[in-house]
Amino acid sequence: MAKVLPEMEEYQYGFHDPDIAVAKLDKGLSRKTVEQISMMKNEPGWMTDFRLRAFEIFQQKPMPTWGGDLSELNFDDITYYVKPTEKKGRSWDEVPEEIKRTFDRLGIPEAEQKFLAGVSAQYESEVVYHSMRQDLEKMGVIFMDTDSALREYPELFKEYFGTVVPPEDNKFAALNSAVWSGGSFIYVPKGVRCEIPLQAYFRINSENMGQFERTLIICDEDSFVHYVEGCTAPIYSTNSLHSAVVEIIVKSGARCRYTTIQNWAPNIYNLVTKRAVAYRNATMEWVDGNIGSKLTMKYPSVYMMEEGAKAMVLSIAVAGRGQHQDAGAKVVHLAPNTTSTIVSKSISKHGGKTTYRGLASFGPNAKGAKANIKCDTLILDDNSTSDTIPYNEIMNDDVTLEHEASVSKVSEEQLFYLMSRGIPEEEATRMIVMGFIEPFTRELPMEYAVEMNRLIKLEMEGSIG
Amino acid sequence: MSKPDFVIRNLHVQVEGKEILKGVDLHIRGGEIHAIMGPNGTGKSTLASAIMGHPHYEVTEGEILLDGQNVLEMSVDERARAGLFLAMQYPAEVPGVSNANFIRTALNARRGEGNEIPVLQFHRRLVQKMKELSIDPSFAERYLNEGFSGGEKKRNEILQMAMLEPRIAILDEIDSGLDIDALKIVANGVNQLRSDNIGFLIITHYQRLLNYIVPDVVHVMMQGRIVKSGDAKLAEELEAKGYDWLKQELGIEDETVEVEA
C-alpha cells in the first residue's frame, strides 16, 4: 500500500545508501528474536537471561498513554537487528566502502582529526568504527562499544549494567534491554580528566529499522569526561524506531557532561531513557539538542544520591511540520544540599508541537536542596503549539524551588528593529531564533555550536510565508 | 556619490484608522540638518515610524522619495538598504544576539553579497567608533540592547548610525532621558558624521539638543502638519517663549492629534 510521505522540511541527512548488511533478522519481535540476537553476539548466559526477562517485562507493560501519539508505532513492522559488517574498523580504511562513504558525507572522520579524543560510529545495530587517542588509553580510560565491553570487561560491566535504568522502568527501557546492540561504554578512572570530548555517532540506514543502542558511562571519583553524540537517519515513507538507554554513574567529586545533537529524520520515533546517578559533590550535566524526529519522548534525569550533588539539564527542542517534541528533564533530590538547574528552550513552527514535561522531586532527606527551572518557548506561527507540564514532589519543607516559564512569539518590534537596519525578514527571524537558543549553543564545543547554528539555519529556511 | 535627496510630499498617515499626519511636506538634501519640534502628541514620532515603514502606520496619501526612488513601495529592510536610518526612541531588545554580530549583519546586508566587510576590518572600525562615542568596549559582545540603560540604548543607536553610514538619518527624540554629558557625546557623534553625503531629520521636544547640533532648518509640527519653518533662531525663540504664542499666531487651540507614549 502506498503511503504518503510525511511532509517534511529540508533534511539534509535524508539520503540512504545501499543495504550491505551481512546479517539481518526478520521483522517482528518474539522470544526467538531476542535469543537470536544474544546468540549472534555470543553472549554469556546471564545476559541472555537478562534480555529474556526484559522481553517479558516489555510484553507485560502497556503502551504509555501520556506524552506523544504512539498509535502508528507497530512493533511487528520493525527489524530489530541488522549487522552491517563482519568486523569493526580500528582505522578508517578497514570500514566497508559504502559505510565509509556515509560517514564521510556526515563529516565524521574530519571531525575526529580536528578535535576529538575518541570516536565511535554506529551503523544500524553495530559499531563499525572505533578509535581513541593513545594517551587516554594509557591513563586507563576505557571507551569502546558496549558489546565489546561486555566481552572485555565482564566484571566492571556486570557491576553497573542495568543498575541505573532497570528493565522494569518503562516499556521502552524493557524493549531496549531485550534487544540492545551497540552503544558506548566509557570508564574514566579516579582523578582522570578527559579534557577533549569523546564522540559517538549513530546512523540508521535501513528502512523500518530499530536502533537500540545501550550506553553506560562510569566516572570514577574526581574524574571528568565530556561525551558527545550525534544522530541522523535517511527519510523513508515508513517509520523507524530509535530507543536507546543511557546509564551514567558519577562518583563523588566527578563531573560528567553528556551532549546530544539529535537530528533524526522526521519519520523516526525517538523514545529514549537517559538517567544518571550522582554521588557526593558530583556533577551531572545533560546538554540535549532535539531537532528532528517524528516524535521524541525524552526526559534526561539525574538522581542526586548524596550530599552536594549537582544536576544541570539544558535542552532545546525544535518541532516543525508533523513533529512533536515531548521532552524535558527529571531532577530527583535524595540528599541534603543538592542543587539542580533546568533550562529548557523550545521552538515550534509550521504546525509543530513542543511539550516540556519535567519533574522536580525532593525526598525527605533533601534538606537545603535547591532547584531552578526555566522553560522558554518561542512560537513562530499561529499553527504551532506548545505546552508546559511541570510536576513537583516535595517531601520536606526545607527546599527552594523556582520555576519560570515564558511563551513568546517573534515580536513585531524586534523584527522591525532588525529590518530597519537593512536585515531581510528571513534573516532577522533567524537571528531572533538563534539568539533565543544562544544559552544552549554557548555550552557546545565550538565545532558543534557552528554545526548547530547551521542546522537551525536550515530548519529556518522557508519559515517566512 | 551624488548628494542624498529626500522628499516627502503631502504625507497622510493613519494609525488604527485614525488620521495622525494630515499632509506633511519636507525636502532634505545631503549636508542639511532639519529639526522637527513641537509639543507631545502632534505627530512627530508617527512621521519617523511611517518613513521607516513600521507596520502599524498606514500611509493613505502622499509620497516619499529617496534619490527619486519610491520609498513607500519598499519593505522596511529595503528602505534601510536604500540609505534610510531611524534612531529609535525605544529600540527593541534582542536577547542572545550580540551587538557586534547584529551590526556586522546589518552592514553586510547593506553592502550586499560578495562585498561583505572583512571581519578584522569590521572590528577595527567598530572599536574606533565606540571609542569616539565613549562606549565601553564590552558593548560589542553584550546582547543587543538587553539590560542597557536609556542612555546606553541611545548611544548604541548612534553607534549603529556611524557604522552604517546612511544617506538620510532620522533621530527620534534621541535626547530624551540623556544627561548633559551623554547629550554632548550623542551630539558629537552626529556632528562627526555631518557631510554632504548625509542629511539629518532630528525630532525633539527640546531646544537643548540643538545647542550642540545646530540645524539648518527648524520645523514646528502641530495637528499632524508642519505649521511653521525657519532657521535655528526659531528653535531658540520656541525655547524662550514656549509654543503658546505660535498657537495664538496660527489660531490653534489644541495642537495634538495623538497620544504619544
Side-chain angles (χ1 to χ4, degrees), chain A residues 25-69:
Chain A
L25 292 186
D26 291 338
K27 278 183 185 177
L29 183 59
S30 64
R31 204 182 152 83
K32 198 173 153 235
T33 321
V34 176
E35 281 168 341
Q36 272 177 323
I37 292 172
S38 192
M39 198 181 70
M40 286 165 86
K41 289 175 176 290
N42 206 5
E43 286 175 342
W46 75 266
M47 182 55 78
T48 314
D49 295 343
F50 174 88
R51 288 178 183 276
L52 289 170
R53 188 169 68 83
F55 177 65
E56 275 168 30
I57 296 165
F58 167 74
Q59 283 185 307
Q60 284 157 15
K61 283 207 181 271
M63 280 293 257
T65 50
W66 51 275
D69 177 7

Side-chain angles (χ1 to χ4, degrees), chain B residues 61-79:
Chain B
E61 214 183 318
E63 58 181 353
I64 304 177
L65 302 170
L66 175 61
D67 305 322
Q69 286 179 286
N70 185 351
V71 169
L72 294 177
E73 280 182 356
M74 301 178 191
S75 60
V76 176
D77 53 315
E78 285 168 345
R79 294 179 195 205

Side-chain angles (χ1 to χ4, degrees), chain A residues 30-274:
Chain A
S30 64
R31 204 182 152 83
K32 198 173 153 235
T33 321
V34 176
E35 281 168 341
Q36 272 177 323
I37 292 172
S38 192
M39 198 181 70
M40 286 165 86
K41 289 175 176 290
N42 206 5
E43 286 175 342
W46 75 266
M47 182 55 78
T48 314
D49 295 343
F50 174 88
R51 288 178 183 276
L52 289 170
R53 188 169 68 83
F55 177 65
E56 275 168 30
I57 296 165
F58 167 74
Q59 283 185 307
Q60 284 157 15
K61 283 207 181 271
M63 280 293 257
T65 50
W66 51 275
D69 177 7
L70 294 167
S71 60
E72 282 181 37
L73 178 59
N74 181 358
F75 289 112
D76 296 329
D77 199 30
I78 287 170
T79 307
Y80 287 84
Y81 181 74
V82 178
K83 188 177 188 179
T85 169
E86 280 302 343
K87 62 171 191 164
K88 176 166 68 251
R90 289 272 308 190
S91 85
W92 202 237
D93 294 338
E94 295 169 46
V95 177
E97 202 54 44
E98 288 82 356
I99 297 176
K100 201 154 64 181
R101 213 178 304 134
T102 306
F103 285 111
D104 277 340
R105 283 169 84 173
L106 297 167
I108 305 304
E110 261 176 87
E112 180 193 352
Q113 281 161 20
K114 284 184 196 151
F115 61 91
L116 292 168
V119 166
S120 175
Q122 177 159 346
Y123 196 81
E124 319 291 27
S125 303
E126 295 286 346
V127 171
V128 294
Y129 170 68
H130 186 84
S131 81
M132 188 174 66
R133 281 171 34 153
Q134 282 187 342
D135 53 340
L136 288 179
E137 223 159 0
K138 278 190 192 132
M139 285 191 289
V141 175
I142 303 169
F143 174 37
M144 58 177 52
D145 69 276
T146 311
D147 294 283
S148 300
L150 173 59
R151 283 190 299 274
E152 293 178 31
Y153 298 93
E155 281 163 27
L156 190 61
F157 191 99
K158 202 172 172 182
E159 187 181 345
Y160 294 101
F161 181 86
T163 59
V164 183
V165 181
E168 293 82 1
D169 192 79
N170 67 72
K171 189 171 182 76
F172 291 93
L175 175 63
N176 174 284
S177 299
V179 298
W180 73 269
S181 183
S184 299
F185 178 89
I186 296 173
Y187 173 77
V188 190
K190 273 184 197 175
V192 172
R193 303 182 58 83
C194 302
E195 299 296 346
I196 311 170
L198 301 173
Q199 181 190 280
Y201 198 90
F202 297 93
R203 172 75 179 174
I204 297 178
N205 190 57
S206 299
E207 191 165 4
N208 294 125
M209 167 73 200
Q211 193 174 56
F212 305 97
E213 88 270 11
R214 181 97 191 187
T215 288
L216 178 57
I217 299 176
I218 303 143
C219 289
D220 216 328
E221 292 169 19
D222 301 312
S223 66
F224 169 69
V225 72
H226 183 184
Y227 173 78
V228 187
E229 64 173 4
C231 327
T232 61
I235 294 175
Y236 291 110
S237 57
T238 55
N239 299 318
S240 291
L241 171 63
H242 173 250
S243 188
V245 167
V246 177
E247 300 180 282
I248 300 181
I249 296 104
V250 196
K251 296 202 175 176
S252 69
R255 177 173 158 228
C256 176
R257 171 171 282 209
Y258 191 110
T259 298
T260 304
I261 303 295
Q262 165 226 303
N263 183 27
W264 290 117
N267 52 331
I268 303 277
Y269 284 97
N270 184 43
L271 311 168
V272 170
T273 308
K274 286 184 164 168

Side-chain angles (χ1 to χ4, degrees), chain B residues 124-133 159 162-163:
Chain B
R124 270 200 301 274
R125 225 172 107 186
L126 184 67
V127 167
Q128 176 62 30
K129 296 286 181 195
M130 293 202 320
K131 213 168 145 191
E132 286 168 17
L133 290 165
L159 172 66
M163 290 297 291

Side-chain angles (χ1 to χ4, degrees), chain A residues 412-417 420, chain B residues 13-15 45-59 74-76 79 86 88:
Chain A
E412 197 172 48
E413 292 307 319
Q414 286 177 328
L415 259 186
F416 175 66
Y417 188 61
S420 80
Chain B
V13 174
Q14 283 188 358
V15 179
S45 286
T46 297
L47 176 63
S49 298
I51 293 172
M52 206 65 230
H54 191 290
H56 286 179
Y57 298 81
E58 189 197 347
V59 174
M74 301 178 191
S75 60
V76 176
R79 294 179 195 205
L86 171 60
M88 298 189 197

Side-chain angles (χ1 to χ4, degrees), chain A residues 411-425 427 431-432 434-436 438-439 442, chain B residues 52 54-56 76-77 80-81 85-86 88 91 93 95-97 102 105-106 109 143 145 157 160:
Chain A
S411 96
E412 197 172 48
E413 292 307 319
Q414 286 177 328
L415 259 186
F416 175 66
Y417 188 61
L418 298 189
M419 288 174 72
S420 80
R421 301 302 186 245
I423 302 170
E425 184 172 1
E427 196 170 356
M431 282 181 91
I432 294 167
M434 302 272 215
F436 175 76
E438 199 274 350
R442 163 171 82 200
Chain B
M52 206 65 230
H54 191 290
H56 286 179
V76 176
D77 53 315
R81 292 198 297 274
F85 181 91
L86 171 60
M88 298 189 197
E93 299 185 1
V97 175
F102 163 61
T105 307
Y143 295 149
N145 292 325
E157 294 291 286
Q160 292 170 37

